[in-house]
């Protein structure tokens, strides 16, 4: 059950709309289900609805006129309350009970208060009602409506439980403002797929992703084609900013401006300055950051970002409130990937970034967390430009998205542990969009790897399958020569050995990096981990890279067999604090 509250100044105009046919003839059988005294005139049940509308308007506005200049300019309080799709049809009596509980909880008309504001509840559809009140009490004072939306939300959560309706996630006051009904109708009328508020929110969010300073932030906004107006203090310092879409004008022909703080709580200029103050980490050289110098900049940056994202997942798996800052950095990384990805995956990645935006805000504040690495990764991806959907660009996109799935699931667990229902749900939604994007990005490179695994000589293939069975017995690696989902993993181990790595040690390193329980396909996750840490091409059509001096020499099958019979050397203990480890690149 969803309440939506607004303010206005035209009582009669709102009533005409509620009792009219609607914008698409969707209003049917408009009538009252409740009122402040139970005797309000009902235009939907009268033989002369126009006269009754005038009488109802006069009754609601009586105290407003008596208060004169003391009445608020926007004296009309309007709250629509809608049940969720699939909920049962509530009766008029049940809707009346819901309306009475909302006007009591919000302070419009408290129970037992004879001076409460006049109100009505009108119904013109099966799934919702409209509560209309005028904001002058019987003693001609204004009602106290502090946190009326939060109070209405709390009532709806209780009603859902008591009436057996679909129970929505409770909010915590950190969500971005939803578009108004007027904004939605304007978008429909002008043929836009979303409201101006939503378009601007996404554009501003992408502009701040990895931005180095305030100047670059505003430059990105202008380059995105938005109008921007900066508010300055007498000293010349910027106080805030407003943005508008070109061509979006009000009835007076003026641009429709939105302050950053009205797009989302964390998009106000002071909040953006706090994020920019953290800066970005110093960039390594391209070859050190991403592997081979002949790989494209988008591919190198995606490789680098994958290691940084893995570190963020480790931090989110810990029971530490400082991980809240990692969520903001992950949000920037998602925005950066979405705006630079190939067309085939862009829609799902953009949907993931929009969903995860809700997961980046809660009342938990991190005070000492360092997000420079994530912001640097986002900046590197944006500066590298658009990635192609094929070759190394496409392969590294799949590599990064595979890791981001696990990061968003770690975020969902982190939020769930703290009772953040909406943020946890948003994280899981983002993970589903990322899984779809991953399947799109990984289809070609994984198919090639699968074919390469099946084409290996039988003896070599069986050797690597034995390695997998020893390390991953629960994965059901084949033992009868039939194709399995591990063929791509077998091909990767073979290529790692050809490049001079020890496949057994490399596989164990990939397994130990972090948990695999939340992976939809463990084989795919390990393929990308192995290819990244072994510096193998993400697109397997390229030749594997030889290890640099100081890395493990090539080991033959015979050598590896004798080593398996030798005493096991205990692995080097992991660093206890993930923050003290440099990001894996």
């Amino acid at each position: 059950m969803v309440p939506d509250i607004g303010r206005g100044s035209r009582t009669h105009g709102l009533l005409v709309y509620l009792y009219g046919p609607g914008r698409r003839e969707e209003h049917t059988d408009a009538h009252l289900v409740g009122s402040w005294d139970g005797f309000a005139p009902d235009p939907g049940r009268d033989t002369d609805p126009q006269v009754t509308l005038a009488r109802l308007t006069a009754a609601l506005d009586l105290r407003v006129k008596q208060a004169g200049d003391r009445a608020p300019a926007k004296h009309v309080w309007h709250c629509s309350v809608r049940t969720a799709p699939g909920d049962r049809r509530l009766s008029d009596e049940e809707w009346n009970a819901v309306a009475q509980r909302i006007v009591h909880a919000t302070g419009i008309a408290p129970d037992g208060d004879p001076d409460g504001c006049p109100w009505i509840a009108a119904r013109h559809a099966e799934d919702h009602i409209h509560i209309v009140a005028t904001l002058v009490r019987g003693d001609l004072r204004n009602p106290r409506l502090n946190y009326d939306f939060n109070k209405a939300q709390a009532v709806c959560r209780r009603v859902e439980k008591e009436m057996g309706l679909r129970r929505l996630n409770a909010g915590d006051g950190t969500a971005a403002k939803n578009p108004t009904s007027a904004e939605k109708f304007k978008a429909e009328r002008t043929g836009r797929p979303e409201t101006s508020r939503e378009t601007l929110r996404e554009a501003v969010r992408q502009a701040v992703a990895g931005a180095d300073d305030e100047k670059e932030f505003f430059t990105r906004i202008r380059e995105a084609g938005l109008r921007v107006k900066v508010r300055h203090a007498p000293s010349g310092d910027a106080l805030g900013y407003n943005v508008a879409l070109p061509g979006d004008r009000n009835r007076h022909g003026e641009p429709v401006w939105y302050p950053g703080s009205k797009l989302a709580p964390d998009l106000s200029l002071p909040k953006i300055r706090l994020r920019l103050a953290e800066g970005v980490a110093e960039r390594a050289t391209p070859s050190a950051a991403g592997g081979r110098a002949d790989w494209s900049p988008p591919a190198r940056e995606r490789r680098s970002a994958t290691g940084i994202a893995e570190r963020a997942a480790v931090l989110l798996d810990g029971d530490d409130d400082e991980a809240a800052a990692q969520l903001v950095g992950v949000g920037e990384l998602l925005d950066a990937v979405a705006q630079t990805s190939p067309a085939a995956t862009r829609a799902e990645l953009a949907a993931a970034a929009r969903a995860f935006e809700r997961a980046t805000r809660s009342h938990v504040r991190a005070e000492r967390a360092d997000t420079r690495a994530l912001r640097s990764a986002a900046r590197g991806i944006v500066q590298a430009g658009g990635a192609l959907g094929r070759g190394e660009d496409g392969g590294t996109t799949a590599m990064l998205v595979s890791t981001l799935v696990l990061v968003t699931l770690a975020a969902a667990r982190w939020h769930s542990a703290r009772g953040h229902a909406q943020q946890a749900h948003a994280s899981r939604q983002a993970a589903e969009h990322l899984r779809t994007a991953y399947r799109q990005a990984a289809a070609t490179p994984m198919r090639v790897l699968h074919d390469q695994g099946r084409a290996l000589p039988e003896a070599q293939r069986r050797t690597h399958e034995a390695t997998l069975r020893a390390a991953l017995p629960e994965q059901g690696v084949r033992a009868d020569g039939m194709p399995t989902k591990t063929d791509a993993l077998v091909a990767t181990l073979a290529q790692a050995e050809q490049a001079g790595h020890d496949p057994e040690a490399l596989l164990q390193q990939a397994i130990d990096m972090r948990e695999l329980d939340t992976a939809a396909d463990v084989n795919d996750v390990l393929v990308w981990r192995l290819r990244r840490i072994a510096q193998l091409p993400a697109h397997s059509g390229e030749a594997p890279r030889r290890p640099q001096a100081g890395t493990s020499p090539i080991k033959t099958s015979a050598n590896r067999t004798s080593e398996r019979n030798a005493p096991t050397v205990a692995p080097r203990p992991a660093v206890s604090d993930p923050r003290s480890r440099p990001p894996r690149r």
Side-chain angles (χ1 to χ4, degrees):
M1 182 171 283
V2 181
D4 187 10
I5 295 176
R7 301 282 182 91
S9 57
R10 299 176 61 247
T11 309
H12 186 261
L14 178 56
L15 294 177
V16 167
Y17 167 74
L18 296 180
Y19 281 91
R23 291 178 171 86
R24 295 178 298 276
E25 303 291 330
E26 73 275 18
H27 296 177
T28 59
D29 189 27
H31 61 281
L32 290 185
V33 297
S35 66
W36 72 99
D37 59 1
F39 297 102
D42 185 357
R45 295 291 185 264
D46 200 286
T47 56
D48 193 343
Q50 297 302 320
V51 172
T52 311
L53 266 175
R55 289 173 52 211
L56 181 58
T57 301
L60 287 169
D61 279 348
L62 176 62
R63 295 171 181 173
V64 174
K65 293 182 178 179
Q66 291 174 342
D69 294 341
R70 289 176 294 169
K74 291 189 174 183
H75 62 270
V76 181
W77 187 86
H78 174 212
C79 175
S80 64
V81 190
R82 186 180 304 270
T83 54
D87 276 340
R88 66 179 179 85
R89 185 181 187 273
L90 300 187
S91 66
D92 286 353
E93 291 74 19
E94 288 175 313
W95 275 122
N96 180 31
V98 171
Q100 291 191 40
R101 293 178 67 169
I102 288 177
V103 296
H104 164 71
T106 56
I108 293 291
D111 291 344
D113 184 354
D115 290 325
C117 298
W119 62 273
I120 62 161
R123 181 179 189 178
H124 54 214
E126 290 189 355
D127 63 345
H128 69 278
I129 61 170
H130 294 261
I131 305 172
V132 180
T134 46
L135 300 180
V136 178
R137 291 167 42 85
D139 53 13
L140 302 187
R141 293 186 295 113
N142 298 335
R144 294 182 177 179
L145 298 179
N146 297 333
Y147 307 107
D148 54 343
F149 178 75
N150 293 344
K151 294 173 181 176
Q153 285 273 19
V155 168
C156 288
R157 299 294 82 77
R158 291 193 292 270
V159 168
E160 290 165 355
K161 182 178 180 180
E162 295 168 12
M163 293 189 174
L165 304 176
R166 176 183 169 188
R167 298 177 67 176
L168 303 182
N169 292 321
D172 60 1
T174 61
K177 181 177 173 58
N178 289 325
T180 65
S181 297
E183 291 170 347
K184 293 177 183 177
F185 286 127
K186 184 176 182 179
E188 292 179 8
R189 188 174 66 251
T190 57
R192 294 184 58 84
E194 61 184 6
T195 64
S196 297
R197 184 188 299 274
E198 292 167 309
T199 301
L200 291 168
R201 180 186 301 146
E202 184 168 1
V204 172
R205 211 178 59 236
Q206 291 183 349
V208 79
D212 193 33
D213 53 32
E214 200 171 308
K215 180 180 178 181
E216 182 180 345
F217 165 63
F218 285 121
T219 299
R220 287 189 185 180
I221 290 180
R222 294 185 179 95
E223 289 176 348
L226 308 185
R227 302 186 65 176
V228 60
K229 179 171 62 177
V230 182
R231 302 190 305 276
H232 294 279
S235 62
D237 296 332
L239 296 175
Y241 70 98
N242 295 57
V243 288
L245 284 179
D248 185 20
R249 299 182 178 275
N250 58 22
R251 68 181 67 180
H252 305 296
E254 302 166 339
V256 180
W257 295 100
Y258 290 84
S261 59
K262 298 300 182 183
L263 298 177
D266 55 346
L267 294 183
S268 66
L269 188 57
K271 294 288 181 64
I272 288 175
R273 280 174 173 162
L274 287 175
R275 200 187 306 185
L276 296 176
E278 295 179 358
V280 294
E282 294 183 5
R283 302 295 296 165
T285 61
S287 59
R292 287 170 27 171
D294 58 328
W295 289 339
S296 68
R300 288 199 304 267
E301 295 299 339
R302 278 161 169 71
R303 277 183 177 270
S304 176
T306 301
I308 294 170
E310 286 169 350
R311 178 175 179 268
V314 171
L315 292 172
L316 286 166
D317 281 335
D319 187 19
D320 188 348
D321 285 351
E322 297 303 314
Q326 301 299 314
L327 297 168
V328 178
V330 171
E332 289 197 29
L333 185 55
L334 280 170
D335 281 319
V337 175
Q339 61 184 300
T340 60
S341 284
T345 56
R346 191 175 303 147
E348 288 296 335
L349 289 172
R354 282 194 296 271
F356 196 76
E357 182 258 352
R358 180 67 187 96
T360 61
R361 291 189 306 275
S362 69
H363 289 302
V364 178
R365 293 288 180 267
E367 310 219 347
R368 299 176 301 279
D370 185 357
T371 60
R372 287 178 298 172
L374 281 165
R375 300 203 70 246
S376 178
R379 179 177 179 80
I381 287 175
V382 170
Q383 290 187 329
L388 301 175
R390 59 186 184 276
E392 192 67 14
D393 283 12
T396 50
T397 296
M399 177 185 291
L400 176 55
V401 173
S402 173
T403 300
L404 288 173
V405 171
L406 300 182
V407 175
T408 52
L409 291 175
R413 292 194 299 273
W414 187 89
H415 279 303
S416 294
R418 287 156 181 79
H420 303 162
Q422 288 189 355
Q423 292 90 333
H425 177 67
S427 299
R428 288 189 288 268
Q429 279 187 316
E432 287 306 310
H433 287 296
L434 288 169
R435 281 185 171 129
T436 302
Y438 170 74
R439 289 192 292 268
Q440 295 166 343
T444 298
M446 292 302 291
R447 183 171 61 249
V448 172
L449 280 171
H450 176 82
D451 293 342
Q452 290 176 345
R454 294 182 64 184
L456 286 172
E458 184 66 21
Q460 186 180 10
R461 193 169 64 245
R462 289 187 180 279
T463 298
H464 293 304
E465 287 171 353
T467 299
L468 291 176
R469 278 195 296 273
L472 299 166
E474 69 280 1
Q475 292 303 304
V477 182
R478 72 178 183 177
D480 56 0
M482 297 300 293
T484 72
K485 294 180 67 177
T486 61
D487 285 329
L489 192 50
V490 167
T492 298
L493 289 175
Q495 292 169 15
E497 184 177 46
Q498 181 186 352
H501 298 279
D502 179 353
E504 293 180 10
L506 200 67
L507 177 62
Q508 196 59 50
Q509 180 183 349
I511 293 172
D512 292 342
M513 285 174 67
R514 65 181 305 271
E515 58 83 25
L516 293 166
D517 295 339
T518 54
D521 193 318
V522 171
N523 297 297
D524 281 26
V525 172
L526 290 176
V527 162
W528 296 119
R529 286 185 185 175
L530 288 167
R531 303 193 78 82
R532 187 181 65 79
I533 60 181
Q535 294 291 304
L536 297 175
H539 185 264
S540 58
E542 300 184 39
R545 182 188 182 190
R546 300 294 298 179
Q548 298 176 356
T551 58
S552 302
I554 298 176
K555 290 182 170 57
T556 64
S557 299
N559 289 340
R560 288 166 49 220
T561 302
S562 63
E563 284 184 10
R564 278 197 291 271
N565 297 327
T568 302
V569 179
R572 188 175 180 178
V575 180
S576 58
D577 185 1
R579 295 187 194 85
S580 63
R581 295 199 304 263
R584 298 187 182 94
R585 294 183 180 271

